[in-house]
Amino acid sequence: MVDSFFRDYLVERVEGMLAHRILTGNYPRLALAPGQRFASKGGYLAKFAEPSGTRLVADSDWVVP
């Protein structure tokens, strides 16, 4: 961004970087579009797989409120 410290430009740069990611990890539907300021509009209900609490597993399908 060098000397371009503008909020809108920063958001556009993040949008572009998200659009070109190969892996989105835990967020398979993560994306931004021009004029859209929420990266994710849904999610999974999850629980810990074992009592030690080291691994999460999805307890539902993708949920959009």
Side-chain angles (χ1 to χ4, degrees), residues 25-54:
N26 293 327
Y27 305 97
R29 294 177 172 87
L30 186 66
L32 283 173
Q36 179 181 350
R37 298 299 176 240
F38 295 96
S40 182
K41 295 181 180 73
Y44 295 100
L45 297 178
K47 64 180 180 182
F48 288 109
E50 58 271 338
S52 65
T54 58

Side-chain angles (χ1 to χ4, degrees), residues 18 21-30:
L18 279 174
R21 287 190 65 183
I22 294 172
L23 298 173
T24 54
N26 293 327
Y27 305 97
R29 294 177 172 87
L30 186 66

